[in-house]
């Protein structure tokens, strides 16, 4: 069961990251399209702000699209980097399965088993 997680929802529009710790859920929304440096810095700042240490009890959920090529590649690369460096679980999900970016919808995504473990197949918009 996925308890604590970092979720990356960066597909080129309405980009957000979320952090669930215990029963608390924190969201950071981006004003404009995310670039590589912004995504990593925002994840670090979110973790620092809420005094979170990402360890092997964490999972990372990443949106596989469809979406912008560069946004998806960036979020997938960051998610895989966190997976390798922190030895955590990595899960992918389809944008259409999530709906609104709320904790209730994310928990439904997990409960309905709509996540793909370690099998990231991005869907790019052409």
């Amino acid at each position: 069961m996925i308890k604590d997680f970092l979720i990356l929802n960066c597909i080129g529009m309405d980009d957000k990251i979320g952090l669930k710790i215990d029963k608390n859920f924190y969201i950071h929304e981006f004003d404009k399209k995310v670039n590589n440096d912004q995504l990593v810095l925002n994840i670090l700042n979110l973790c620092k702000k809420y005094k979170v240490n990402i360890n092997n009890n964490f999972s990372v959920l990443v949106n596989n699209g469809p979406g912008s090529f560069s946004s998806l590649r960036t979020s997938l690369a960051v998610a895989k980097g966190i997976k390798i460096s922190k030895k955590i679980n990595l899960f992918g999900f389809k944008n259409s399965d999530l709906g609104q970016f709320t904790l209730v919808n994310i928990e439904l995504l997990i409960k309905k088993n709509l996540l793909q473990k370690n099998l990231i197949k991005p869907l790019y918009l052409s």
Side-chain angles (χ1 to χ4, degrees), residues 2-126:
I2 299 172
K3 183 182 172 200
D4 296 332
F5 59 82
L6 171 68
I7 183 167
L8 307 177
N9 191 45
C10 301
I11 58 170
M13 57 185 188
D14 298 326
D15 294 338
K16 298 176 179 112
I17 56 175
L19 186 62
K20 181 180 179 276
I21 306 298
D22 299 320
K23 295 181 181 181
N24 300 315
F25 185 60
Y26 308 104
I27 297 174
H28 175 77
E29 296 184 33
F30 297 94
D31 294 334
K32 55 185 177 179
K33 195 171 181 179
V34 181
N35 70 32
N36 300 357
D37 296 333
Q38 286 179 329
L39 181 58
V40 173
L41 286 174
N42 281 297
I43 290 170
L44 291 173
N45 289 337
L46 191 64
C47 290
K48 185 177 180 180
K49 181 178 182 179
Y50 296 107
K51 297 177 175 91
V52 174
N53 183 20
I54 294 178
N55 57 32
N56 59 354
N57 295 326
F58 253 77
S59 295
V60 173
L61 314 177
V62 62
N63 192 332
N64 312 354
S68 159
F69 177 82
S70 58
S71 295
L72 287 172
R73 294 306 301 161
T74 300
S75 60
L76 289 170
V78 168
K80 286 183 178 185
I82 295 170
K83 177 194 181 337
I84 291 167
S85 65
K86 298 294 186 173
K87 296 178 178 42
I88 60 172
N89 291 315
L90 175 62
F91 298 93
F93 64 92
K94 293 179 185 170
N95 191 50
S96 59
D97 291 338
L98 180 59
Q100 276 189 307
F101 192 81
T102 63
L103 182 57
V104 171
N105 285 349
I106 295 166
E107 288 178 336
L108 275 173
L109 189 73
I110 295 167
K111 191 175 185 178
K112 290 182 178 180
N113 221 10
L114 295 173
L115 301 174
Q116 301 169 336
K117 184 173 170 111
N118 295 329
L119 183 60
I120 308 297
K121 293 183 179 179
L123 300 170
Y124 305 115
L125 292 176
S126 41

